[in-house]
Amino acid sequence: MEDINKTNNKDKFLIKKYNFRKNIINYIYQYELFNIQINTSEIVNNELNKISISEISTLEIIQSKYQTLKNIANKFLLETWTWERINPLIRAVLIFGIYELTYNEPRVVINEMVNITKMFVPGDDYKFVNRILDRISKEIINK
């Protein structure tokens, strides 16, 4: 019985973490879609958003470090690609993925970002996300 409870608790934790990541990416995506700066106050004040305190805190950090996160992503793009050419949802995944790489195990972060990309973006864009985040984790995070 105790093993079942541990499994249920672990499952609940993983689902909660997945939903947290998905929500953060969704908020970032809304701003990437229109090429405007993330505005946490606007998100909080919108009555349609049911946002948690931890999501607010995370978005505030991302908002304050957005340009740095974007610059890191740009550094690892192919020479023929520009930030604006990338699908806004992929940009949101990359921004959040780079942020998460600084706090969590790179393998876990990359796997989650790839899975989220597979779920919401048709085609092979997940390979792009995997390649960019993998290179960043090897050249910046793991140094």
Side-chain angles (χ1 to χ4, degrees), residues 10-11 18-19 22 30 47 53 93 97 101 107 111 117:
K10 184 178 180 184
D11 289 346
Y18 167 78
N19 286 329
K22 189 178 65 153
Q30 291 173 34
E47 293 176 10
I53 292 171
V93 170
L101 283 172
R107 277 190 340 218
N111 187 53
T117 303

Side-chain angles (χ1 to χ4, degrees), residues 6 25 33 49 52 59 61 66-68 70 74 77 86 95 115 120 131-132 138 141:
K6 285 181 183 178
I25 290 169
L33 190 60
N49 293 329
S52 71
L59 285 168
I61 295 168
Y66 178 83
Q67 195 57 50
T68 301
K70 181 179 168 184
N74 272 318
L77 295 179
I86 300 170
I95 290 293
N115 287 337
F120 294 104
R131 186 180 78 241
I132 298 293
K138 288 177 180 170
I141 306 301

Side-chain angles (χ1 to χ4, degrees), residues 10 12 15 22 29 39 43 64 75 97 116 119 135:
K10 184 178 180 184
K12 287 177 186 176
I15 290 168
K22 189 178 65 153
Y29 169 65
N39 184 335
I43 294 169
S64 70
K75 181 180 180 211
I116 289 171
M119 190 169 288
R135 287 181 61 210

Side-chain angles (χ1 to χ4, degrees), residues 19 23 38 61 93 102 126:
N19 286 329
N23 289 345
I38 297 170
I61 295 168
V93 170
T102 62
Y126 70 92

Side-chain angles (χ1 to χ4, degrees), residues 20 23 27 50-57:
F20 173 84
N23 289 345
Y27 290 122
K50 291 178 174 44
I51 188 166
S52 71
I53 292 171
S54 59
E55 289 170 339
I56 293 167
S57 298

Side-chain angles (χ1 to χ4, degrees), residues 86-87 89-95 97-98 101 109-118 121 124-136:
I86 300 170
N87 174 325
L89 184 53
I90 299 301
R91 292 193 314 241
V93 170
L94 289 173
I95 290 293
I98 295 166
L101 283 172
V109 171
I110 294 168
N111 187 53
E112 280 292 312
M113 296 304 117
V114 165
N115 287 337
I116 289 171
T117 303
K118 284 179 180 179
V121 182
D124 291 338
D125 284 348
Y126 70 92
K127 292 177 184 178
F128 178 79
V129 169
N130 183 59
R131 186 180 78 241
I132 298 293
L133 293 178
D134 186 55
R135 287 181 61 210
I136 291 169

